[in-house]
Amino acid sequence: MFQIRTDLAVETSEKRPDGKEVSGIRVEKKKRGEDVVITKVCIDTQKAAKTLGKPRGTYVSIEADQMMEEDSGYHREISEIFSEQLKTFLPKDYRNAKILVIGLGNREVTPDALGPKVIDHLFITRHLLEEFGKYLVELDQCCSISGIVPGVMAQTGMETVEILRGIVAETKPDLVIAVDALAARSIKRLNRTIQITDTGIIPGSGVGNYRNAITEEHLGIPVIAIGIPTVVDAATIIADFCMGLMEENKSEPEEMEASVRSLISPKLNTMYVTSKDIDEAVNRLSFTISEGLNMTFVPRV
Amino acid sequence: MFQIRTDLAVETSEKRPDGKEVSGIRVEKKKRGEDVVITKVCIDTQKAAKTLGKPRGTYVSIEADQMMEEDSGYHREISEIFSEQLKTFLPKDYRNAKILVIGLGNREVTPDALGPKVIDHLFITRHLLEEFGKYLVELDQCCSISGIVPGVMAQTGMETVEILRGIVAETKPDLVIAVDALAARSIKRLNRTIQITDTGIIPGSGVGNYRNAITEEHLGIPVIAIGIPTVVDAATIIADFCMGLMEENKSEPEEMEASVRSLISPKLNTMYVTSKDIDEAVNRLSFTISEGLNMTFVPRV
Amino acid sequence: MFQIRTDLAVETSEKRPDGKEVSGIRVEKKKRGEDVVITKVCIDTQKAAKTLGKPRGTYVSIEADQMMEEDSGYHREISEIFSEQLKTFLPKDYRNAKILVIGLGNREVTPDALGPKVIDHLFITRHLLEEFGKYLVELDQCCSISGIVPGVMAQTGMETVEILRGIVAETKPDLVIAVDALAARSIKRLNRTIQITDTGIIPGSGVGNYRNAITEEHLGIPVIAIGIPTVVDAATIIADFCMGLMEENKSEPEEMEASVRSLISPKLNTMYVTSKDIDEAVNRLSFTISEGLNMTFVPRV
Amino acid sequence: MFQIRTDLAVETSEKRPDGKEVSGIRVEKKKRGEDVVITKVCIDTQKAAKTLGKPRGTYVSIEADQMMEEDSGYHREISEIFSEQLKTFLPKDYRNAKILVIGLGNREVTPDALGPKVIDHLFITRHLLEEFGKYLVELDQCCSISGIVPGVMAQTGMETVEILRGIVAETKPDLVIAVDALAARSIKRLNRTIQITDTGIIPGSGVGNYRNAITEEHLGIPVIAIGIPTVVDAATIIADFCMGLMEENKSEPEEMEASVRSLISPKLNTMYVTSKDIDEAVNRLSFTISEGLNMTFVPRV
């Protein structure tokens, strides 16, 4: 009916319009302490991928209300859980890996600045290791970390994947970690959910061969994508509300669908919903992610 | 029914839920060229103010699609129309006036950065005139302009009006011009409407004696407020859509009202809708406003 | 001879051109651990103030190489020492005090952004206490903290002290803490010295009745100034080098003085020296100061 | 004696320590109006390159006091002269060229933010031309412009040339234009000189095969470098003053040299001199350059 947009696998798997179960998906939920819920969604078949509009692969989401708190103690805890979950996506010998971390998004737009701000706080070590080697005592346990904020197409005139393919070819990392702000379907997940996936980043419906996807297929090395939803698509939220209304009033779906469609203007597709304190949320969450990356890849510093 | 929020008088006067005319309001519309519509709304009586939820006073709005264009030529034209309309709010001898321009809003949140960015591009002259006097040849036609970006309460711990009252008492300007990002009711007015009003800035329903209003009553000198809508309240847009849906389907208002109310969560009240290119829009529009202020108050520089 | 400029009392007291001791000054030095040197300079008489070009009062400086390290552990240690020294300037019952913290300087100029960046990371509590009162459990031990970044005169057209006098009159704090980037005489003290003083901030030679001084005399309440040197005046560094050269070469002072004076152009007075990594230094040091203020005034949050 | 550092060919060619003329160099000076001086320096031989410490090639500098004025009219004039001089470096058919513009330097350090700020104001067209083609009426005369702000090694862990080599290989531009903040020898040239050169950018002494040079040799396509001096190296300014002092006092060069050398500490090499209003200067100058690039490559928009 409407294009319901969400970047979160946990939301896609949650609810099918027809209520039927989808085969080819496995969902595991577990709690950590009182507040943290970790959900693992595995999309195993191409058919399931098509049904859900998300590529095959593994998606872990960490949800916790305390991500919205100001207390830095809570954030340390989340950084640790995030680091632990991230490690389940890494190869065994990742301590010797060369990793390129990418901060996607537009630094000038507050809810989209998550990726760039994570790079700001990252311990960058590649140039030090290249110059001084592993003998550099304090860094002997650390990965080679490089980072880039490529900007968005309106700023560069280039597809992000073009920029990245060039840098990967030249600097030869073993692994890309791409950090990006995401769109959720529900405002209740905004600023309180971290998703880690091994599928990379595919725009749009997420299935098919997009020329601008940031994936292993396009970069030639594995891509782990990390994201936090900071916006909801405006058309999505309105369609969801209208559908809720229809259900409550037991209207004829077809009739209502037509009227909802007539109300949603194309302009709405260039709009998104975000929270009033998004500046503080993005500052805190970018720090939670960068701390988690630092404790994973550059311990003891 | 729902609290429909808009800071634009032109939207308030447009459409009454019951379809009746409101007495005590005068609305004049005129076109400039093909694209620019200038609307003057005068709210003359306290009763009309209460009905519309906006204080008594004069509101001029300038609407033009070309505000959304990148072309700087169009923006110059808008700056000139804005300057001309602004002058209708100024006393005759404003060339000798001391004016304090206030950039309201939070610089860290893209759609709320309009006010602070206007101050960035303003010709500030007060300190030059105080030091060198009017003899300073090139500035002999210019007003004394000072500017401040007070920040928002979460950053300062103080009401904005407290900060301003202190600065006004100390530096004794004749007039305050307050620039702020506004909320519209309809996304079609976002980033393409400038409102000028002599009422100052009153939060909330806009009627009553708010301790944090930035008005002549609280500052002791006239306050002209200039604003551009850059966001729509999330609850407002959803309520509007739902109501549209109800009208189309001729449902019983009471019944539907109850269901809509049940769907709109309190969390939605901390959310707003904005456009994806809001960074570019705010950069352009802040420049349009600051150019208009500069050509009004500091000509020939 | 030349106007040697330094904002650090520890540098003024260090070395007199004529080698004589100045009466009316007391200097106490103590070490903390291996690296930290704490120096307390008391200027007791008006005559000593005139000789040293610094107002009467107490100046504590904390010097440590580890302020230049990236390690956040070291910075926590410095924050604690800073907090402990700051407390020696506070009244006994400061836990009930209302404190206004001022971030002086120009956010757009990297070495001058220290003050504004400290405010960015401060726990602001005044508005919460005003609204919810001390019952708000987690804040029951905390001071009422407000903060402001007034901007510089080229941005506002107003003297900073005018803005502050207005805000102080309106919001009635008990104490002002003013944070500012300082000028040192020697590059060896840049980015590794914190000065705390009870004299407030007086521009220029520091003695006399300056209309733009930020002092108890002008604001009506005590002013504690906190600063870190991030620049050296260009004329100062050159004069110092030339004088060193002269001493080494046993030239006639008068003769050399004339030639040095002839070399130093007025343009040099608008120049300063800073370090290439000043962005990282200011980010780290602003955090060290804000953490120290937070642990002093808003403990346990 | 000391490493006198300057990125300006016009300063290198100006004055040889021994007063002798250097063969293999041609210098042409011409005036434009009353204020603008255009100097063309051609370094023709490898020997001259070695003597001057600058690679073989053509260097055009535009010097004008009005670059330091606030008046935007003056800046438009400079943008036009800059555009005209830039065209002398371009191939005849540049209107069909694909051009990658690079904003070098560190956005977080005010005098080093020139390059990044130029990219902010550039008309980026590559993505539009790739999507819509030349039929897009308003752009039919325009070049394909892409832009990137690669960041500095401490932020990315990668040599800038590695990043650029990758992007060039992937997006295949015909020409690179690299914009960077420069170091002058003399403060009198700061913020009032634009240099255009066909040599690219070579760090250090500028001669030899540096792995991190941004040159045609390393990128495989021509590199035009555009720069404005915003800093003077601290050791350079001090050595210059000391040498001036020595000359005035007719000291023995060898003796004085030794003493100067002993005074200049290694720490001084991490220091630079800049002006107090560098934020406004960089804002204005980045606009002058970006306007000049826009009028050259994307006319009529």
Side-chain angles (χ1 to χ4, degrees):
Chain A
M1 170 177 182
F2 300 97
Q3 170 85 45
I4 291 297
R5 191 191 156 204
T6 172
D7 294 323
L8 294 176
V10 72
E11 286 186 333
T12 324
S13 63
E14 199 158 58
K15 188 191 183 185
R16 300 278 57 223
D18 50 9
K20 285 186 203 152
E21 254 188 46
V22 182
S23 69
I25 308 175
R26 285 170 297 142
V27 181
E28 273 170 51
K29 255 191 170 52
K30 57 184 173 189
K31 282 195 103 175
R32 280 289 281 276
E34 277 186 45
D35 280 329
V36 184
V37 177
I38 299 171
T39 311
K40 188 174 176 176
V41 176
C42 300
I43 303 182
D44 292 329
T45 65
Q46 198 56 35
K47 204 181 147 200
K50 214 162 174 181
T51 313
L52 297 183
K54 293 250 154 296
R56 267 195 297 174
T58 302
Y59 303 79
V60 166
S61 67
I62 303 161
E63 290 174 75
D65 279 339
Q66 69 217 57
M67 287 189 210
M68 305 180 77
E69 301 290 320
E70 271 196 47
D71 193 309
S72 58
Y74 287 148
H75 282 264
R76 175 114 197 139
E77 220 178 295
I78 301 291
S79 294
E80 277 161 8
I81 295 172
F82 162 63
S83 171
E84 171 208 298
Q85 292 299 318
L86 176 60
K87 282 177 189 162
T88 69
F89 285 85
L90 297 176
K92 266 201 181 150
D93 59 341
Y94 74 90
R95 280 289 164 81
N96 295 312
K98 294 181 186 176
I99 298 171
L100 171 61
V101 188
I102 299 166
L104 297 171
N106 182 349
R107 188 191 284 281
E108 300 303 311
V109 174
T110 315
D112 206 23
L114 181 83
K117 290 203 168 196
V118 165
I119 304 298
D120 291 348
H121 297 298
L122 218 54
F123 293 140
I124 297 294
T125 60
R126 180 179 179 270
H127 59 305
L128 301 173
L129 291 167
E130 299 262 309
E131 193 170 348
F132 304 111
K134 283 264 182 184
Y135 298 106
L136 190 60
V137 180
E138 300 129 86
L139 296 175
D140 66 346
Q141 295 272 348
C142 89
C143 302
S144 162
I145 301 289
S146 52
I148 191 91
V149 175
V152 296
M153 200 162 66
Q155 293 164 341
T156 65
M158 301 178 275
E159 297 277 4
T160 301
V161 74
E162 291 181 292
I163 297 173
L164 298 180
R165 202 156 43 203
I167 294 173
V168 165
E170 197 63 37
T171 65
K172 300 193 174 40
D174 303 312
L175 178 69
V176 160
I177 291 183
V179 185
D180 201 4
L182 305 179
R185 173 176 186 164
S186 159
I187 57 170
K188 77 174 194 228
R189 282 209 176 74
L190 288 188
N191 308 337
R192 56 180 296 290
T193 309
I194 303 172
Q195 177 173 277
I196 312 172
T197 170
D198 56 8
T199 59
I201 287 177
I202 303 190
S205 85
V207 187
N209 187 4
Y210 289 88
R211 68 188 164 106
N212 52 354
I214 298 166
T215 56
E216 179 161 7
E217 190 192 339
H218 282 80
L219 296 184
I221 52 173
V223 179
I224 295 172
I226 293 164
I228 293 178
T230 59
V231 299
V232 175
D233 206 65
T236 294
I237 203 171
I238 286 170
D240 254 4
F241 268 91
C242 293
M243 287 191 291
L245 204 57
M246 290 187 294
E247 276 173 33
E248 287 236 351
N249 289 281
K250 298 169 192 83
S251 343
E252 289 302 312
E254 293 75 20
E255 200 182 328
M256 290 295 265
E257 186 177 325
S259 36
V260 176
R261 201 190 298 273
S262 73
L263 288 169
I264 293 187
S265 70
K267 195 163 182 186
L268 209 60
N269 290 317
T270 66
M271 300 276 153
Y272 62 82
V273 178
T274 191
S275 66
K276 283 176 185 168
D277 64 347
I278 188 64
D279 57 326
E280 293 167 24
V282 166
N283 282 344
R284 277 199 307 271
L285 293 167
S286 64
F287 201 68
T288 304
I289 298 288
S290 62
E291 283 301 282
L293 293 173
N294 287 337
M295 69 178 65
T296 310
F297 298 123
V298 193
R300 294 200 306 164
V301 170
Chain B
M1 168 180 185
F2 300 97
Q3 170 89 44
I4 292 297
R5 189 190 158 203
T6 173
D7 294 324
L8 294 176
V10 73
E11 286 187 333
T12 323
S13 65
E14 204 158 54
K15 189 190 182 185
R16 300 276 58 222
D18 50 10
K20 284 185 204 151
E21 254 188 46
V22 181
S23 69
I25 308 175
R26 284 169 298 142
V27 181
E28 274 169 53
K29 253 189 173 48
K30 58 186 172 187
K31 283 195 102 174
R32 281 289 281 276
E34 276 185 45
D35 281 328
V36 183
V37 178
I38 298 172
T39 310
K40 187 172 175 176
V41 176
C42 300
I43 302 183
D44 292 329
T45 63
Q46 197 55 33
K47 202 181 150 202
K50 214 161 175 182
T51 313
L52 298 183
K54 292 251 154 295
R56 265 196 295 174
T58 302
Y59 303 78
V60 166
S61 66
I62 304 161
E63 289 175 74
D65 278 340
Q66 68 219 55
M67 286 189 211
M68 305 180 77
E69 301 291 320
E70 270 195 46
D71 194 306
S72 58
Y74 288 147
H75 282 263
R76 174 113 196 138
E77 221 177 293
I78 300 292
S79 294
E80 278 162 9
I81 295 171
F82 162 63
S83 170
E84 171 208 297
Q85 292 298 319
L86 175 60
K87 281 176 191 165
T88 68
F89 285 85
L90 297 175
K92 266 200 182 151
D93 60 339
Y94 75 89
R95 280 289 164 79
N96 296 313
K98 294 183 184 176
I99 298 171
L100 171 61
V101 187
I102 300 166
L104 297 170
N106 182 349
R107 190 191 284 280
E108 301 304 311
V109 174
T110 314
D112 205 24
L114 182 81
K117 291 202 168 196
V118 166
I119 304 297
D120 290 350
H121 297 299
L122 219 55
F123 292 140
I124 297 293
T125 60
R126 179 178 179 271
H127 58 306
L128 301 174
L129 290 167
E130 299 260 309
E131 193 171 347
F132 304 112
K134 283 264 180 185
Y135 297 107
L136 191 60
V137 181
E138 300 130 86
L139 297 175
D140 65 347
Q141 295 272 345
C142 88
C143 302
S144 162
I145 301 289
S146 53
I148 192 90
V149 175
V152 296
M153 200 161 65
Q155 293 164 341
T156 65
M158 300 178 274
E159 297 277 4
T160 302
V161 74
E162 291 180 292
I163 297 173
L164 298 180
R165 203 156 40 204
I167 294 174
V168 165
E170 196 63 37
T171 65
K172 299 191 176 39
D174 304 310
L175 179 68
V176 160
I177 290 183
V179 186
D180 201 5
L182 304 179
R185 172 175 186 165
S186 159
I187 59 169
K188 76 174 194 227
R189 282 208 176 75
L190 288 188
N191 308 337
R192 56 179 296 289
T193 308
I194 302 173
Q195 177 173 279
I196 313 171
T197 171
D198 56 8
T199 60
I201 287 177
I202 303 190
S205 84
V207 187
N209 187 5
Y210 288 87
R211 67 188 165 109
N212 52 354
I214 298 166
T215 56
E216 180 162 4
E217 191 192 338
H218 283 78
L219 295 184
I221 53 172
V223 179
I224 295 173
I226 293 165
I228 293 179
T230 59
V231 299
V232 174
D233 205 65
T236 293
I237 203 172
I238 286 170
D240 251 3
F241 267 92
C242 293
M243 287 191 289
L245 204 58
M246 291 188 294
E247 276 172 34
E248 288 235 350
N249 288 280
K250 298 169 192 80
S251 343
E252 290 302 314
E254 293 75 20
E255 202 180 326
M256 291 293 266
E257 186 178 324
S259 36
V260 176
R261 201 190 299 274
S262 73
L263 287 169
I264 293 187
S265 69
K267 194 164 184 185
L268 209 60
N269 290 318
T270 66
M271 299 278 154
Y272 62 82
V273 178
T274 191
S275 67
K276 283 176 185 169
D277 64 346
I278 188 65
D279 56 328
E280 294 168 22
V282 166
N283 282 343
R284 277 198 308 273
L285 293 168
S286 64
F287 201 68
T288 304
I289 298 288
S290 62
E291 283 301 281
L293 294 173
N294 287 336
M295 70 177 66
T296 309
F297 298 123
V298 194
R300 296 199 304 166
V301 170
Chain C
M1 170 176 183
F2 299 97
Q3 170 87 46
I4 292 296
R5 189 191 157 203
T6 174
D7 293 324
L8 294 177
V10 72
E11 287 187 333
T12 323
S13 65
E14 200 159 55
K15 190 190 180 185
R16 300 278 56 225
D18 50 11
K20 284 185 204 152
E21 254 187 44
V22 181
S23 69
I25 307 176
R26 285 169 298 143
V27 181
E28 274 169 51
K29 254 189 170 51
K30 58 185 174 191
K31 283 195 103 175
R32 281 289 281 276
E34 276 185 46
D35 279 328
V36 183
V37 177
I38 298 170
T39 310
K40 187 174 177 176
V41 176
C42 300
I43 303 183
D44 293 328
T45 64
Q46 198 53 34
K47 204 180 149 200
K50 214 163 177 180
T51 313
L52 298 183
K54 291 251 153 296
R56 268 193 296 176
T58 302
Y59 303 79
V60 166
S61 67
I62 304 161
E63 289 174 75
D65 278 340
Q66 69 219 56
M67 285 188 214
M68 305 179 77
E69 301 290 322
E70 268 194 49
D71 193 310
S72 59
Y74 287 149
H75 281 263
R76 174 115 194 137
E77 219 178 294
I78 301 292
S79 292
E80 279 162 7
I81 295 172
F82 161 64
S83 170
E84 168 208 300
Q85 292 298 317
L86 175 61
K87 283 176 189 164
T88 69
F89 285 85
L90 296 176
K92 268 199 180 150
D93 59 341
Y94 75 90
R95 282 287 166 81
N96 295 311
K98 294 181 185 177
I99 298 172
L100 171 62
V101 187
I102 300 166
L104 297 170
N106 183 349
R107 189 189 284 278
E108 300 303 310
V109 174
T110 315
D112 206 23
L114 181 80
K117 291 201 168 198
V118 166
I119 304 299
D120 290 350
H121 297 299
L122 218 54
F123 293 139
I124 297 293
T125 60
R126 179 179 180 271
H127 58 308
L128 301 174
L129 290 168
E130 299 260 310
E131 194 170 345
F132 304 111
K134 284 264 179 186
Y135 298 106
L136 190 59
V137 181
E138 299 130 86
L139 296 174
D140 66 345
Q141 294 272 346
C142 90
C143 301
S144 162
I145 301 290
S146 53
I148 192 93
V149 175
V152 297
M153 199 161 65
Q155 293 164 341
T156 65
M158 300 178 274
E159 297 278 3
T160 301
V161 74
E162 291 180 292
I163 297 172
L164 298 180
R165 203 156 40 203
I167 295 173
V168 165
E170 196 63 37
T171 65
K172 300 194 174 39
D174 303 310
L175 178 68
V176 159
I177 291 184
V179 185
D180 201 4
L182 305 178
R185 173 176 186 164
S186 159
I187 58 171
K188 78 173 194 229
R189 282 208 177 76
L190 288 188
N191 308 338
R192 56 180 295 289
T193 308
I194 302 172
Q195 176 173 279
I196 312 170
T197 171
D198 57 8
T199 61
I201 287 178
I202 304 190
S205 84
V207 187
N209 186 4
Y210 289 87
R211 70 189 164 108
N212 53 353
I214 297 166
T215 56
E216 180 162 4
E217 192 192 337
H218 283 78
L219 295 185
I221 52 172
V223 179
I224 295 173
I226 293 165
I228 294 178
T230 59
V231 300
V232 176
D233 203 66
T236 293
I237 204 173
I238 286 169
D240 253 2
F241 268 91
C242 292
M243 287 190 289
L245 204 59
M246 290 187 294
E247 274 171 35
E248 287 236 349
N249 288 279
K250 297 167 194 83
S251 346
E252 290 300 316
E254 293 76 18
E255 204 179 326
M256 292 293 267
E257 186 177 326
S259 36
V260 175
R261 199 190 298 274
S262 74
L263 288 170
I264 292 186
S265 70
K267 194 162 183 185
L268 209 59
N269 290 318
T270 65
M271 299 278 153
Y272 63 82
V273 178
T274 191
S275 66
K276 283 175 185 169
D277 64 348
I278 187 66
D279 57 328
E280 294 167 23
V282 166
N283 281 344
R284 276 199 307 271
L285 292 167
S286 63
F287 201 67
T288 305
I289 298 288
S290 62
E291 283 300 281
L293 293 174
N294 287 338
M295 69 178 65
T296 309
F297 297 122
V298 194
R300 296 199 303 168
V301 171
Chain D
M1 167 176 183
F2 299 97
Q3 171 86 43
I4 292 297
R5 189 191 157 203
T6 173
D7 294 323
L8 293 177
V10 71
E11 287 187 331
T12 324
S13 65
E14 198 160 58
K15 188 190 182 185
R16 299 277 58 223
D18 51 12
K20 283 185 207 153
E21 254 187 44
V22 182
S23 69
I25 308 176
R26 285 169 299 141
V27 180
E28 272 171 52
K29 253 188 169 55
K30 58 186 173 188
K31 282 196 102 174
R32 281 291 281 277
E34 276 185 46
D35 280 328
V36 183
V37 178
I38 299 171
T39 310
K40 186 175 177 173
V41 176
C42 300
I43 302 183
D44 293 329
T45 65
Q46 198 54 36
K47 204 181 147 199
K50 214 164 175 179
T51 314
L52 298 183
K54 292 251 153 296
R56 267 196 295 176
T58 302
Y59 302 78
V60 166
S61 66
I62 303 161
E63 290 173 75
D65 278 341
Q66 68 218 56
M67 284 189 214
M68 306 179 75
E69 301 290 322
E70 269 194 49
D71 194 310
S72 59
Y74 287 149
H75 280 262
R76 174 113 196 141
E77 219 178 296
I78 300 292
S79 293
E80 278 162 10
I81 295 172
F82 161 64
S83 170
E84 169 208 300
Q85 292 298 316
L86 175 60
K87 283 176 189 164
T88 69
F89 285 85
L90 297 175
K92 266 200 182 150
D93 59 341
Y94 74 90
R95 279 289 164 81
N96 296 311
K98 293 181 184 176
I99 298 171
L100 172 61
V101 188
I102 300 165
L104 298 171
N106 183 349
R107 190 190 282 279
E108 300 303 311
V109 175
T110 315
D112 206 23
L114 182 80
K117 291 201 168 198
V118 166
I119 304 298
D120 290 349
H121 298 298
L122 219 54
F123 292 140
I124 297 294
T125 61
R126 180 180 179 270
H127 59 305
L128 300 174
L129 291 167
E130 300 260 311
E131 193 171 347
F132 304 111
K134 283 264 180 185
Y135 299 105
L136 190 59
V137 181
E138 300 129 86
L139 296 174
D140 66 345
Q141 296 271 347
C142 90
C143 302
S144 162
I145 301 290
S146 53
I148 192 92
V149 175
V152 297
M153 200 161 67
Q155 292 163 341
T156 65
M158 301 178 274
E159 296 278 3
T160 301
V161 74
E162 291 180 291
I163 297 173
L164 298 180
R165 203 155 43 204
I167 295 174
V168 165
E170 196 62 38
T171 65
K172 300 195 174 38
D174 303 310
L175 178 68
V176 160
I177 291 183
V179 185
D180 201 5
L182 305 178
R185 172 176 186 165
S186 158
I187 58 169
K188 78 173 193 228
R189 281 209 176 73
L190 287 188
N191 307 339
R192 57 179 295 288
T193 308
I194 302 171
Q195 176 173 277
I196 312 170
T197 171
D198 57 8
T199 60
I201 287 177
I202 304 190
S205 86
V207 187
N209 188 3
Y210 288 87
R211 71 188 163 108
N212 53 353
I214 297 165
T215 57
E216 179 161 5
E217 192 191 338
H218 283 79
L219 295 185
I221 53 172
V223 180
I224 296 174
I226 293 164
I228 293 178
T230 59
V231 300
V232 175
D233 204 66
T236 294
I237 204 172
I238 287 170
D240 253 4
F241 267 92
C242 292
M243 286 190 291
L245 204 59
M246 290 187 295
E247 274 171 35
E248 286 234 351
N249 290 281
K250 297 166 193 85
S251 347
E252 290 301 314
E254 293 75 19
E255 203 180 325
M256 291 294 267
E257 187 176 326
S259 36
V260 176
R261 200 190 298 274
S262 73
L263 288 169
I264 292 186
S265 70
K267 194 163 182 184
L268 209 57
N269 290 318
T270 66
M271 299 279 154
Y272 63 82
V273 178
T274 192
S275 65
K276 284 175 185 169
D277 63 347
I278 188 64
D279 56 329
E280 293 168 23
V282 165
N283 281 345
R284 275 198 308 272
L285 293 167
S286 63
F287 200 68
T288 304
I289 297 288
S290 62
E291 283 300 280
L293 293 173
N294 287 338
M295 68 177 67
T296 309
F297 298 123
V298 193
R300 297 200 303 167
V301 171

